């Protein structure tokens, strides 16, 4: 069996991979829905836009399910505190996500323009709201979440929904929306042609520049004004999971300073800013495949920067900093992590190969002729 400390690090990395997979793949689904009112002006154009993601959006949501499952199994304390404390926010995100399949399935059932406009608006909400809520949630991780444990290690959340909506988390929410819209615009540029493609390219260039600007602003704000969390006591990285036996202090400038993080990781945020500018350039030069890959690297860099900045914290506590959940004290048992790792090594490659095969089969552009010819088109 692998060392307990190593298993914890592996599952921290796997959780990040699952979140990045969701943001990259389901991200362009959300982005396409968010751009629907802007890049398509007629019913035919909207059908073209929807059919770019129609065959794949259900499969892409698997990454969200895998991420939730990984948190539940590998980090039970994180699951318990976050899903109970963020209950209303998660409910709103799930409600918006549930609207998406309903909108996809119901929109084409009637030709009435008012009926289709209603479901188009529902799809727009289903694309924007989850991105906003997930971004706000990430922003609150840096501020800390008001929770603590009692003597029996029962968690208590002492905050409210509207306390989550402070300026920095809201800025992170806007950044998350821009990330999704950037993914959506580059995907539409890749999968469509003529007017829809032209509009997608135009929006994508502006969105990519705004993404770079907001990412930089969030980084400067975080480093200069927001107190970080630092473990000041001795910790046993291979010891049992107990989040209340350490001491944590808060001070400005402690983000991304954990001694185990390699100095080269500081290149990750720089890569995100660079690739955002590259996305705008590639869209301008009509290299749409490269633009989508560049946009995906931007998303990867932004999420990786957040994870590396928080490490080793998973969910800091603003009211009781020493009760914060970290990689070292919030995991499942060593045996559980090991068995799950074996299962992941078996099934995750299958998922990746199947996903690659699906996208290869569905390659090519979606046109007006395509949706008229295909009987299963939305």
């Amino acid at each position: 069996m692998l060392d307990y400390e190593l298993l914890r690090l592996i599952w921290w990395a796997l959780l990040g991979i699952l979140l990045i997979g969701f943001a990259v793949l389901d991200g362009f689904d959300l982005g396409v829905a968010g751009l629907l009112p802007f890049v398509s002006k007629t019913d035919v154009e909207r059908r073209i836009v929807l059919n770019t993601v129609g065959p794949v959006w259900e499969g892409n949501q698997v990454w969200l399910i895998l991420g939730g499952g990984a948190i539940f199994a590998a980090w039970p304390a994180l699951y318990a505190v976050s899903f109970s404390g963020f209950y209303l926010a998660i409910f709103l995100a799930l409600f918006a996500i549930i609207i998406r399949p309903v909108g996809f399935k119901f929109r084409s059932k009637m030709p009435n323009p008012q009926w289709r406009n209603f479901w188009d608006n529902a799809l727009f909400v289903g694309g924007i709201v989850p991105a906003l809520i997930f971004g706000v949630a990430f922003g609150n991780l840096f501020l800390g979440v008001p929770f603590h444990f009692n003597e029996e290690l029962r968690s208590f959340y002492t905050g409210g929904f509207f306390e989550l909506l402070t300026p920095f988390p809201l800025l992170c929410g806007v950044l998350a929306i821009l990330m999704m819209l950037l993914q959506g615009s580059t995907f539409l540029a890749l999968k469509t042609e003529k007017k829809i493609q032209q509009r997608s390219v135009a929006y994508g260039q502006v969105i990519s520049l705004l993404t770079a600007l907001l990412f930089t602003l969030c980084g400067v704000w975080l480093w200069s004004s927001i107190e970080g969390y630092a473990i000041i006591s001795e910790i046993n990285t291979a010891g049992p999971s107990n989040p209340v036996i350490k001491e944590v202090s808060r001070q400005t400038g402690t983000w991304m300073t954990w001694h185990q993080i390699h100095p080269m990781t500081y290149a990750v945020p720089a890569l995100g800013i660079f690739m955002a500018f590259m996305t705008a350039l590639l869209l301008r030069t009509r290299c749409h495949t490269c633009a989508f890959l560049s946009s995906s690297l931007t998303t990867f860099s932004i999420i990786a920067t957040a994870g590396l900045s928080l490490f080793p914290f998973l969910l800091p506590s603003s009211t009781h900093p020493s009760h914060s959940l970290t990689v070292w004290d919030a995991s499942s048992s060593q045996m559980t992590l090991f068995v799950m790792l074996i299962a992941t090594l078996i099934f995750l490659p299958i998922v990746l190969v199947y996903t690659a095969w699906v996208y290869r089969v569905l390659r090519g552009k979606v046109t007006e002729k395509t949706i008229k010819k295909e009987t299963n088109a939305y």
Side-chain angles (χ1 to χ4, degrees):
M1 188 181 300
L2 294 177
D3 181 75
Y4 201 8
E5 178 184 6
L6 178 59
L7 282 170
R8 284 166 163 165
L9 286 172
I10 290 173
W11 273 102
W12 172 77
L14 283 174
L15 179 59
I17 290 171
L18 293 175
L19 292 176
I20 291 169
F22 167 72
V24 170
L25 294 178
D26 204 38
F28 70 71
D29 293 345
L30 299 174
V32 166
L35 289 169
L36 181 63
F38 306 103
V39 299
S40 54
K41 304 301 181 182
T42 65
D43 184 66
V44 172
E45 289 182 345
R46 289 176 181 174
R47 290 187 64 198
I48 293 173
V49 169
L50 293 176
N51 277 277
T52 60
V53 297
V56 297
W57 67 268
E58 289 177 291
N60 290 340
Q61 287 195 152
V62 169
W63 292 93
L64 178 61
I65 299 171
L66 289 174
I71 294 175
F72 174 77
W75 313 101
L78 173 62
Y79 181 89
V81 175
S82 60
F83 277 65
S84 59
F86 295 157
Y87 183 84
L88 182 56
I90 292 174
F91 176 82
L92 291 175
L94 291 178
F95 178 77
I97 291 174
I98 290 170
I99 288 177
R100 295 172 65 204
V102 178
F104 276 113
K105 299 299 182 182
F106 279 21
R107 184 192 187 277
S108 60
K109 299 302 181 184
M110 293 177 60
N112 185 289
Q114 292 181 337
W115 171 269
R116 294 193 169 186
N117 286 336
F118 174 82
W119 290 114
D120 288 340
N121 292 330
L123 287 168
F124 171 77
V125 171
I128 294 297
V129 171
L132 174 64
I133 291 177
F134 293 147
V136 169
F138 252 99
N140 275 284
L141 295 183
F142 292 99
L143 299 180
V145 179
F147 74 92
H148 66 276
F149 295 94
N150 65 4
E151 296 81 1
E152 300 173 343
L153 292 184
R154 292 177 57 193
S155 63
F156 293 87
Y157 181 80
T158 56
F161 173 74
F162 292 103
E163 294 177 17
L164 302 174
L165 307 178
T166 53
F168 180 75
L170 286 174
L171 186 65
C172 292
V174 175
L175 176 60
I177 292 175
L178 290 175
M179 281 170 45
M180 302 300 108
L181 293 179
L182 183 58
Q183 283 292 99
S185 63
T186 54
F187 185 75
L188 285 174
L190 180 64
K191 294 288 290 184
T192 61
E193 58 184 14
K194 298 179 181 178
K195 292 183 178 180
I196 299 177
Q197 185 184 69
Q198 293 170 4
R199 297 180 191 126
S200 299
V201 168
Y203 279 112
Q205 289 177 317
V206 175
I207 293 169
S208 60
L209 298 178
L210 289 175
T211 301
L213 176 63
L214 250 66
F215 183 39
T216 303
L217 178 59
C218 286
V220 172
W221 191 345
L222 181 68
W223 276 83
S224 62
S225 304
I226 297 178
E227 291 182 333
Y229 290 76
I231 301 174
I232 59 175
S233 62
E234 292 292 332
I235 58 172
N236 184 2
T237 57
S241 293
N242 188 338
V244 299
I245 59 174
K246 63 183 179 301
E247 293 184 28
V248 176
S249 68
R250 299 194 63 180
Q251 51 189 334
T252 304
T254 58
W255 299 113
M256 215 171 185
T257 57
W258 181 254
H259 66 278
Q260 293 187 6
I261 295 181
H262 194 277
M264 284 298 294
T265 57
Y266 287 95
V268 175
L271 175 65
I273 297 171
F274 174 75
M275 296 312 298
F277 283 111
M278 278 298 298
T279 303
L281 178 62
L282 291 168
L283 285 172
R284 185 178 181 84
T285 58
R286 300 178 180 271
C287 186
H288 300 141
T289 301
C290 295
F292 179 73
L293 295 175
S294 176
S295 171
S296 300
L297 281 173
T298 302
T299 299
F300 161 81
S301 300
I302 292 174
I303 297 177
T305 299
L308 290 170
S309 297
L310 284 167
F311 185 83
F313 291 92
L314 298 172
L315 187 65
S317 171
S318 59
T319 53
H320 294 70
S322 294
H323 290 195
S324 300
L325 300 178
T326 73
V327 172
W328 315 125
D329 58 26
S331 71
S332 294
S333 67
Q334 184 177 6
M335 177 61 74
T336 300
L337 296 181
F338 180 73
V339 172
M340 287 172 51
L341 179 61
I342 298 300
T344 301
L345 292 176
I346 295 172
F347 292 105
L348 185 58
I350 297 175
V351 173
L352 293 174
V353 170
Y354 172 76
T355 301
W357 176 77
V358 167
Y359 280 97
R360 175 171 175 77
V361 171
L362 297 173
R363 66 187 183 279
K365 295 185 180 294
V366 178
T367 64
E368 183 175 349
K369 181 179 179 180
T370 304
I371 63 172
K372 289 181 177 179
K373 180 181 177 181
E374 179 56 58
T375 57
N376 293 324
Y378 291 110

